[in-house]
Amino acid sequence: MSLRCVRLGFVPLTDCAPLVIAHELGFAEEEGLSLTLEPSPSWATLRDRLALGDVDAAHMLAPVPIAHALGLGPGPAAMEALHILSLNGTIIGLSRPFAVRLRDKAPDLAFGDAPAARDALLAMGPIRLAVPFAFSMHRELIHRWLGNGPELSIRTVPPSLMSEALAAGEIDAFCVGEPWGSLAVEAGLAELILPGRAIWMAAPEKALVARAGWAGENPEVTGALLRALWRAGGWLADPARRATAADILARDAYLDRPAEILERAMTGHLAVGTDGTMRHVPDFVRFHDGAANFPWRSQAAWIGAQLARRFTLDPLASAQAAARVFRSDLYRAHLSGTGAVIPGASSRVEGALATPTAVAASEGRLILSPDAFFDGRVFDPDGHLPDL
């Protein structure tokens, strides 16, 4: 059988795992594809390579194609999200000096307590906080949690340079994807205080993103790619396989980092302090279960509304434009009949589920995982989103 070649870009983070597993364990080959996985040092580099056609599709921050749709990103290339690769998987940490100051003022602050951590941080005065990219779930989660006040100064630092910024004293705090938070702890530079899922339990972190029109021009390849990634996500959903996944990701071609640290991120067993204190975060990162791979239009609308507030755009128009970027229609078309349980709707009230909840699905019964926000508020798109 002749294999169709597909070039996929990625940034070395643990949540590139679905691409790596699809390639290494043969899911892509079984779908008739030969994947070439190409690393990029930063999100800006990968975005530009995708826009220029150097790669066919990419492991990408979910807000990037939405920012482009709202006219906020450079260049004319429109993009669309075909598949959600992962939910959550980010971590918030503090520099050691800042953590010492915080403990003096809030000695009883518990790891993972988002409301208490918010109050403690905002009481500290000006905070220099780093995120990996201007248009990222990291930044949107931080604003959803800490607001947009003048005491918060947010700067962009590529994930691989986060420890250098801490060592140089350039930042007080960070929100980054693993393993870069754990590596900062290992280097004695940081303490971890909060997983991203403590802010929003079902934040779409990374998506498979392609240039607008690529999926329509290559329907057979798109279908094969989505099926391979869906199968890889299903393989990763088994906790017993996460150690094996960490060993594969540790290879030079991918993250080139110690498998032990990668396994922490994959399993949610994190060393949160330089004294070796461990904390377990259930569902720290999700690759499959509870319709994790489905590109909900309401998730995109939430991102669009968040960006609209920050850039003083029309919130309804932004939410509608954002919703069109998450291609739930293509996901349905290519995964129907594969055994994938697909939600019966393409939009929902985000943040409404505090417990696992059964909903209508294309086949069988679908149990959606909790998706609550830390403060109990919800995002209701109000039925104003266009049908896809």
Side-chain angles (χ1 to χ4, degrees):
M1 178 180 64
S2 177
L3 300 178
R4 298 285 296 273
C5 297
V6 180
R7 298 175 67 188
L8 300 179
F10 72 97
V11 168
L13 293 154
T14 53
D15 55 25
C16 73
L19 279 66
V20 173
I21 294 303
H23 172 60
E24 291 286 346
L25 297 191
F27 296 123
E29 186 174 351
E30 290 171 7
E31 295 291 344
L33 300 179
S34 173
L35 301 185
T36 299
L37 304 185
E38 302 185 12
S40 288
S42 70
W43 293 113
T45 301
L46 182 53
R47 174 204 59 200
D48 294 346
R49 292 191 67 200
L50 180 61
L52 292 170
D54 287 345
V55 292
D56 298 309
H59 157 252
M60 180 60 69
L61 298 159
V64 167
I66 294 171
H68 276 252
L70 302 185
L72 300 175
M79 305 175 188
E80 50 195 12
L82 310 178
H83 178 99
I84 301 302
L85 295 170
S86 62
L87 301 181
N88 301 119
T90 57
I91 193 72
I92 296 164
L94 308 175
S95 71
R96 287 294 306 285
F98 194 87
V100 169
R101 289 171 49 206
L102 181 69
R103 297 295 176 194
D104 286 343
K105 293 189 175 184
D108 297 324
L109 180 62
F111 174 81
D113 187 337
R118 175 195 57 189
D119 295 344
L121 283 176
L122 293 179
M124 292 288 289
I127 305 168
R128 301 169 301 164
L129 192 148
V131 297
F133 199 60
F135 304 116
S136 63
M137 189 55 66
H138 311 77
R139 180 153 192 165
E140 300 316 322
L141 288 177
I142 290 297
H143 284 301
R144 180 65 177 76
W145 178 46
L146 297 180
N148 297 283
E151 69 279 3
L152 185 62
S153 172
I154 296 184
R155 58 193 67 188
T156 298
V157 177
S160 60
L161 299 181
M162 206 63 75
S163 287
E164 289 186 23
L166 288 165
E170 297 171 354
I171 57 174
D172 304 309
F174 59 83
C175 179
V176 72
E178 280 289 272
W180 300 104
S182 290
L183 289 168
V185 172
E186 288 295 307
L189 298 169
E191 295 184 14
L192 308 181
I193 63 165
L194 195 74
R197 77 180 308 274
I199 301 171
W200 184 11
M201 296 179 75
E205 175 57 27
K206 302 299 189 308
L208 179 75
V209 174
R211 295 179 303 285
W214 180 84
E217 295 163 4
N218 301 276
E220 292 184 3
V221 171
T222 299
L225 182 57
L226 295 190
R227 290 190 297 271
L229 291 172
W230 178 78
R231 293 174 62 196
W235 186 91
L236 285 161
D238 184 346
R241 294 169 172 159
R242 296 289 177 95
T244 300
D247 287 338
I248 296 171
L249 289 168
R251 296 174 186 171
D252 294 352
Y254 303 123
L255 272 65
D256 190 22
R257 301 291 167 178
E260 176 189 355
I261 293 178
L262 303 186
E263 185 177 351
R264 294 180 199 170
M266 296 294 285
T267 60
H269 289 86
L270 304 175
V272 300
T274 55
D275 61 355
T277 298
M278 302 293 294
R279 293 288 182 270
H280 180 221
V281 183
D283 283 340
F284 175 74
V285 58
R286 285 202 289 125
F287 295 107
H288 189 75
D289 293 342
N293 303 131
F294 187 71
W296 292 94
R297 289 184 290 137
S298 46
Q299 290 178 337
W302 182 87
I303 296 170
Q306 285 280 110
L307 290 170
R309 280 191 286 272
R310 282 210 286 127
F311 291 93
T312 61
L313 305 175
D314 179 84
L316 179 56
S318 297
Q320 291 175 332
R324 290 189 285 269
V325 172
F326 274 31
R327 297 299 304 271
S328 53
D329 58 329
L330 294 180
Y331 187 94
R332 289 181 192 283
H334 290 298
L335 286 174
S336 293
T338 63
V341 182
I342 302 172
S346 295
S347 182
R348 62 181 180 176
V349 177
E350 296 293 337
L353 304 182
T355 60
T357 303
V359 298
S362 58
E363 302 174 18
R365 188 174 69 153
L366 172 62
I367 305 296
L368 294 181
S369 298
D371 71 339
F373 290 99
F374 77 99
D375 54 6
R377 292 164 55 196
V378 301
F379 174 77
D380 186 353
D382 281 332
H384 295 301
L385 301 182
D387 292 329
L388 288 179

